[in-house]
Amino acid sequence: MPKPMWNVPGRDRDRDHDFEPCIQAKDMDIVCSELLEIIKLIDAVITEKCPESSSFTFPTTNGLGFVDSLLEKMMDVTSSEAGSIALIDHPIQKVQEQLVCLRSLLWKIVELQNEDEEVQAIWNRLVGVAYRTEFLIDSLITGNILDSSSMSIHSILEEMNIIKAAALKIGDSERLGGKVKEVTKRFNHMPQEGSKPIVNDVVVGFEDETASIINGLRNGSRQVTIVSIVGMPGCGKTTLARKVYNDSSVKSHFYERAWCTISQIYQKRNLLLQILTCIESKLPEDVFKMGEEDLALQVKRRLLKNRYLIVLDDVWDIDAWNGLEASFPDDGNGSRVILTSRLRGVAPQDKLDHEPYSLRQLTPNESWDLLKGKLYPGQDLAPPELCEIRQQVVEMCQGLPLTVVILAGILSRMDRYGWKEAVEGLSSRNVSSTEQCTATLELSYKHLPDTLKACFLYFGAFPEDHEHNTKRLISLWVAEGLVQKTQLKRSEDVANDYLMELISRSLVIVSKPRSIDGVKACRIHDLLYEFCVTKAKEEKLLQRVRRYDDLSAFTVPCYLRRLCIIDSNPEHFDNLSDNLDNSSQLRDLDFLSCLSLDPEENISKLLRKFPNIRKLRCSVNLEPDVEYHVAMDCLSQLESLSLSRVLYGYQQFHIDFQFPLSIKRLTLTYFGMPWRKMAAIGNLPNLEVLKLLRRSFEGEIWEMEVEKFPNVRFLKLASLNIVKWTASSEYEYEDQDYFPRLQKLVLESCDALQEIPSCLGNSSTLEIIEVSKCPSCTSSLEEIQEEQRSNGYTDLKILTS
């Protein structure tokens, strides 16, 4: 039976909210009985359309990762703690023993699976028998015994013995020694310990276009006009738009900016939510429950009387503009819309004050500069091995930036002495740019380690232009068994290394960095997305269905492994993620989102169901004039916590939190707590990132007293009614350093804020203060900057907008 996956387009995953509706704790169904019923219905459709057959197809990527995942599953179901499954002392344990042996044998030759036909044949047989074993285990667990000789334990053990003999023979073969060394030398498969991707956003060419677009945005007609950027896939439309969007003069000129990705398949409601979330990063919960008309009105209200810039990226037809135009007010203040498209005629002609910018191909010199910039940033001279292939590279890439970038990703992971051979193999083809890009992608894919191939193709399971929350993506990779465990690292850390490597190879784009380190959100280019969809189907990693209703007409391969339903109607999967008392502990649960807690229920009882969770997002139901105590210290592994209150107006609420000492990131929203409650937060020893958003605290004065924030590196205050933020007079002359490691302070939409503690200037680590919509705190900022100078620290930057 395939493992269904759903991606329901709706709220953007990288935002502070997720797609799913909040789940009440008392209704939480960890067993998900109704979801299982849906899976059974899907299975029935598939079984009817694809009856049992002796043929067997399985994914051809990530074989070793799947074997590891299967062995872990077999250990679980045959352990004494899983007595209800009744597989203890079952013959399946013999299969487990053989699989352990085969796994250790094939680890020695895994690097050669794509280099030697004999090794490939053995590898395929092992992966095939591993998938048959999983189907057998699932049938034993569910009681749906398969009547197939190819699925019997006897046939599986027999096949394993044959594979074992062949593997032993080839493993001892001396002829493989040279090949192993050759492959190891040719490919630098995985990043070194602790390596980070170089997010090298090199932009080459289009200087004239950039200057012209910026001039058109800041000058010209006072009416709303459209700037259209058109060109073929991979020519740099989005890169150019992003460069203009982030230009400092553009940012200072427009009061509101929003980026909205359209794509071929879209919902107006989702586009409006994208725009709203850009305008205000933390929206009230009730906004996400609004229909299209109310959201359209919200967008119009937020943009009214403001000079705004909206980017509509990847537009395929004029309907997208027609659906959004009414939400873009025309106040005669010079507001602008940037529209990127592969098609020249999608922008309404009456809104253009300039012909569409049709992006040209890069010149040979620009292609060369882009390649050098990606491989050797900041260096004028290139090594002779790169200069030797210059002519072939510029001819092969045909001025397409995406091809140059992908090629740089390939070369960066190869020994430089193999560059000439790799490029000659590609440049021998006389094909169009798009086909050439596909050929380059094929080469890049071939050079990926098997573990990275499956993770890369997994991007094809999502909607086009989907922006991925990296934490959620990593969790999915782990849950799907695409990550190989090591003794030194958690699966999530290994998966993060995988992502960083894909970014380093220019296959994944960083769309949103984290506030301190790392990547918050990522995406892939349209051409890479199409490649992933096609290759994932070809290699039987997954199969896609556009809508739940399309299942009836779906041609299903036999033994389909993974079915992805890209559905725009969340109602198909509503009313599930009860019977909490009878549920078991989820010891491996790492991340849980959209949980709604009721302090009147036994919260501790619920939290103990997932004792090893590291990241938790939840809301709390509160009523005014009631005192609450929420103890969360039982979560001893918790590192990231985001808490918000279900809205009941803007009253103060009486609540005490008992946080785990392990917390590194904390976000609070809508609690209306008095500032004296900060003592419970200030002395958390491991806290590094603190975000106090949208009336999380109420009161005009925050006087810091006992709280010291010893390890906080990032602090954000947003949409608070605070007027004075001061240090206690008791410490006024003692140079008390409340934030000894603070690197970045963000102040946003705190309209009344006038005073900021000058003692922040005592910190030698403070580098940036970002201020937005806080008009009254200028003098306090100057005092902090002066305090820094008097202490000999001159690196503080204050950015205002």
Side-chain angles (χ1 to χ4, degrees):
M1 182 175 72
K3 295 184 176 179
M5 297 166 45
W6 293 276
N7 287 290
V8 185
R11 202 168 306 162
D12 212 346
R13 284 284 188 187
D14 74 305
R15 310 300 182 195
D16 291 312
H17 306 275
D18 283 334
F19 286 101
E20 302 90 351
C22 286
I23 304 165
Q24 296 294 333
K26 61 184 179 181
D27 296 327
M28 183 182 179
D29 183 359
I30 296 180
V31 181
C32 294
S33 58
E34 293 194 26
L35 176 58
L36 292 175
E37 289 301 317
I38 293 174
I39 294 175
K40 288 179 181 178
L41 289 174
I42 295 173
D43 187 37
V45 173
I46 292 174
T47 302
E48 180 182 356
K49 295 174 65 61
C50 182
E52 190 69 33
S53 168
S54 59
S55 64
F56 190 91
T57 58
F58 54 86
T60 57
T61 58
N62 193 41
L64 195 60
F66 172 72
V67 171
D68 286 345
S69 177
L70 176 60
L71 283 171
E72 185 175 354
K73 178 176 181 178
M74 295 179 79
M75 287 171 55
D76 287 341
V77 301
T78 58
S79 68
S80 57
E81 297 178 358
S84 60
I85 298 177
L87 290 181
I88 305 170
D89 298 327
H90 191 278
I92 196 71
Q93 288 193 325
K94 294 181 180 178
V95 176
Q96 180 180 347
E97 293 168 5
Q98 287 283 56
L99 196 59
V100 170
C101 179
L102 283 171
R103 197 265 184 215
S104 63
L105 285 172
L106 288 180
W107 175 253
K108 301 176 183 177
I109 56 175
V110 63
E111 304 291 357
L112 295 174
Q113 60 174 302
N114 295 317
E115 301 293 323
D116 186 278
E117 291 184 2
E118 192 174 354
V119 173
Q120 184 69 59
I122 295 175
W123 186 260
N124 288 343
R125 291 183 73 173
L126 171 64
V127 175
V129 81
Y131 276 103
R132 284 161 55 193
T133 300
E134 188 196 44
F135 271 89
L136 177 60
I137 293 173
D138 287 345
S139 68
L140 292 171
I141 293 173
T142 62
N144 182 25
I145 306 299
L146 299 174
D147 184 16
S148 171
S149 59
S150 66
M151 289 297 178
S152 68
I153 290 180
H154 175 74
S155 67
I156 288 175
L157 285 171
E158 194 174 68
E159 177 78 357
M160 284 183 165
N161 285 327
I162 297 173
I163 296 171
K164 183 178 179 181
L168 284 170
K169 180 181 177 181
I170 199 170
D172 294 335
S173 174
E174 293 182 0
R175 69 183 177 85
L176 293 180
K179 283 192 176 182
V180 171
K181 292 180 181 178
E182 180 185 340
V183 172
T184 303
K185 179 181 178 182
R186 195 185 317 163
F187 302 124
N188 176 14
H189 278 295
M190 289 303 297
Q192 298 298 315
E193 182 74 21
S195 68
K196 295 181 180 179
I198 300 175
V199 183
N200 182 17
D201 291 329
V202 179
V203 180
V204 171
F206 309 129
E207 286 83 2
D208 293 342
E209 291 88 345
T210 302
S212 177
I213 291 173
I214 292 176
N215 181 63
L217 294 178
R218 300 186 63 199
N219 301 293
S221 172
R222 304 303 298 170
Q223 307 307 311
V224 173
T225 55
I226 295 177
V227 174
S228 180
I229 304 173
V230 298
M232 67 180 295
C235 71
K237 301 184 296 295
T238 301
T239 301
L240 175 58
R242 183 75 67 181
K243 180 180 180 182
V244 170
Y245 182 79
N246 289 322
D247 181 84
S248 58
S249 66
V250 171
K251 291 168 71 173
S252 62
H253 183 73
F254 294 98
Y255 303 128
E256 301 289 0
R257 295 179 308 133
W259 185 285
C260 181
T261 304
I262 308 293
S263 301
Q264 285 180 281
I265 300 175
Y266 62 87
Q267 281 188 314
K268 179 181 175 182
R269 181 177 184 277
N270 299 339
L271 302 181
L272 294 167
L273 279 171
Q274 283 189 56
I275 295 171
L276 281 172
T277 313
C278 286
I279 296 172
E280 188 166 358
S281 60
K282 190 72 174 181
L283 292 170
E285 284 290 337
D286 55 351
V287 171
F288 294 94
K289 301 174 184 177
M290 293 180 178
E292 278 187 8
E293 292 185 4
D294 289 336
L295 286 172
L297 186 59
Q298 282 289 325
V299 170
K300 188 170 185 177
R301 286 174 176 171
R302 304 279 176 128
L303 297 179
L304 199 63
K305 304 301 181 183
N306 282 314
R307 184 162 59 238
Y308 59 81
L309 171 64
I310 307 293
V311 177
L312 303 180
D313 187 36
D314 197 19
V315 179
W316 283 78
D317 57 59
I318 200 168
D319 290 344
W321 166 258
N322 291 338
L324 293 172
E325 183 181 12
S327 297
F328 300 156
D330 192 346
D331 297 319
N333 57 9
S335 294
R336 297 287 185 264
V337 175
I338 295 178
L339 184 151
T340 75
S341 178
R342 302 182 187 186
L343 309 173
R344 188 176 182 86
V346 297
Q349 296 300 309
D350 62 327
K351 291 290 184 180
L352 294 173
D353 65 350
H354 186 284
E355 282 295 304
Y357 291 88
S358 184
L359 295 194
R360 57 176 175 80
Q361 294 177 324
L362 296 179
T363 66
N365 286 339
E366 288 172 339
S367 295
W368 172 245
D369 289 341
L370 179 58
L371 183 68
K372 279 196 309 179
K374 296 298 289 186
L375 286 172
Y376 298 98
Q379 298 184 25
D380 293 330
L381 297 178
E385 292 81 9
L386 189 62
C387 295
E388 188 178 359
I389 59 174
R390 172 173 179 163
Q391 187 64 27
Q392 293 156 301
V393 167
V394 297
E395 289 179 0
M396 181 193 74
C397 293
Q398 299 186 23
L400 194 64
L402 179 64
T403 308
V404 179
V405 169
I406 293 172
L407 183 61
I410 298 172
L411 299 181
S412 69
R413 284 298 180 268
M414 293 180 62
D415 188 286
R416 66 172 63 175
Y417 299 106
W419 285 355
K420 185 176 181 181
E421 180 184 357
V423 171
E424 283 179 347
L426 278 174
S427 60
S428 62
R429 303 185 183 189
N430 184 20
V431 293
S432 70
S433 294
T434 303
E435 291 171 333
Q436 184 62 65
C437 188
T438 302
T440 308
L441 279 174
E442 286 282 359
L443 179 64
S444 184
Y445 179 75
K446 179 184 176 182
H447 283 196
L448 286 176
D450 200 49
T451 48
L452 292 186
K453 285 180 179 177
C455 291
F456 174 54
L457 296 186
Y458 195 79
F459 283 95
F462 298 86
E464 185 182 12
D465 282 319
H466 183 73
E467 189 169 55
H468 301 266
N469 179 293
T470 56
K471 288 291 187 181
R472 179 177 181 272
L473 180 65
I474 284 171
S475 297
L476 285 171
W477 283 352
V478 173
E480 290 278 3
L482 304 183
V483 177
Q484 292 182 14
K485 287 189 173 181
T486 69
Q487 293 182 342
L488 301 177
K489 286 188 173 183
R490 294 170 57 100
S491 297
E492 290 75 18
D493 295 329
V494 176
N496 187 67
D497 290 343
Y498 289 2
L499 179 61
M500 296 302 103
E501 180 69 359
L502 289 173
I503 292 171
S504 291
R505 292 170 182 259
S506 298
L507 294 176
V508 176
I509 302 167
V510 177
S511 57
K512 183 174 290 186
R514 291 205 170 275
S515 51
I516 298 293
D517 286 318
V519 177
K520 186 174 184 179
C522 63
R523 55 182 292 271
I524 61 173
H525 190 277
D526 290 355
L527 286 182
L528 284 100
Y529 173 77
E530 294 297 335
F531 178 88
C532 287
V533 170
T534 303
K535 184 65 72 172
K537 181 179 180 181
E538 176 186 317
E539 302 206 350
K540 305 176 184 67
L541 181 72
L542 57 89
Q543 183 78 34
R544 290 161 42 99
V545 176
R546 285 209 177 273
R547 297 194 309 270
Y548 181 81
D549 296 335
D550 288 345
L551 276 176
S552 59
F554 181 47
T555 302
V556 185
C558 187
Y559 292 114
L560 175 64
R561 170 70 182 172
R562 189 175 283 109
L563 177 63
C564 307
I565 304 176
I566 313 288
D567 203 310
S568 60
N569 186 2
E571 293 179 0
H572 287 144
F573 312 106
D574 279 350
N575 302 318
L576 298 179
S577 302
D578 38 26
N579 199 14
L580 177 64
D581 290 338
N582 295 329
S583 63
S584 59
Q585 283 195 335
L586 300 177
R587 293 190 174 276
D588 293 329
L589 185 63
D590 187 76
F591 170 39
L592 180 61
S593 179
C594 289
L595 178 66
S596 182
L597 302 175
D598 189 341
E600 295 183 359
E601 302 288 327
N602 191 338
I603 289 181
S604 296
K605 183 178 181 180
L606 170 65
L607 297 181
R608 288 191 175 93
K609 295 292 182 181
F610 28 88
N612 296 317
I613 195 168
R614 289 203 300 171
K615 184 175 182 181
L616 177 62
R617 287 183 185 173
C618 57
S619 59
V620 183
N621 295 311
L622 301 179
E623 293 185 5
D625 303 321
V626 178
E627 293 190 3
Y628 299 99
H629 179 78
V630 178
M632 310 185 77
D633 53 333
C634 60
L635 302 178
S636 60
Q637 305 299 313
L638 189 65
E639 296 181 0
S640 178
L641 175 62
S642 180
L643 281 171
S644 62
R645 175 182 58 82
V646 178
L647 291 178
Y648 287 110
Y650 289 126
Q651 304 97 325
Q652 276 199 356
F653 289 84
H654 308 284
I655 184 168
D656 287 313
F657 287 106
Q658 195 168 340
F659 297 113
L661 298 181
S662 56
I663 284 184
K664 294 182 179 180
R665 304 174 66 92
L666 178 62
T667 302
L668 297 175
T669 311
Y670 284 123
F671 284 105
M673 294 183 289
W675 285 105
R676 65 177 182 275
K677 300 287 186 180
M678 281 295 296
I681 300 173
N683 295 316
L684 291 171
N686 297 300
L687 187 63
E688 297 179 356
V689 175
L690 175 60
K691 299 180 182 180
L692 307 178
L693 312 176
R694 295 193 67 88
R695 298 185 177 268
S696 53
F697 285 81
E698 287 283 343
E700 296 184 353
I701 300 176
W702 173 20
E703 185 179 52
M704 295 186 295
E705 296 179 347
V706 295
E707 58 266 29
K708 303 292 172 55
F709 307 94
N711 283 301
V712 170
R713 296 189 292 158
F714 177 88
L715 174 64
K716 180 175 182 178
L717 307 181
S719 300
L720 305 174
N721 66 348
I722 185 172
V723 176
K724 292 186 177 181
W725 171 20
T726 66
S728 172
S729 57
E730 181 181 347
Y731 303 108
E732 186 175 356
Y733 302 103
E734 297 183 12
D735 291 333
Q736 183 71 20
D737 195 350
Y738 287 92
F739 292 90
R741 298 190 62 195
L742 187 65
Q743 296 175 13
K744 185 174 181 179
L745 170 65
V746 177
L747 303 173
E748 181 181 299
S749 299
C750 296
D751 301 338
L753 181 61
Q754 299 176 9
E755 186 174 339
I756 304 171
S758 59
C759 65
L760 292 178
N762 294 331
S763 174
S764 61
T765 61
L766 185 59
E767 299 174 352
I768 299 176
I769 299 180
E770 286 187 6
V771 186
S772 174
K773 300 178 184 177
C774 301
S776 304
C777 63
T778 304
S779 59
S780 274
L781 292 172
E782 292 173 351
E783 289 179 14
I784 293 173
Q785 205 164 30
E786 183 59 35
E787 187 72 19
Q788 277 247 336
R789 292 194 189 100
S790 67
N791 285 314
Y793 313 136
T794 58
D795 294 332
L796 177 62
K797 297 178 181 178
I798 298 180
L799 307 178
T800 59
S801 61

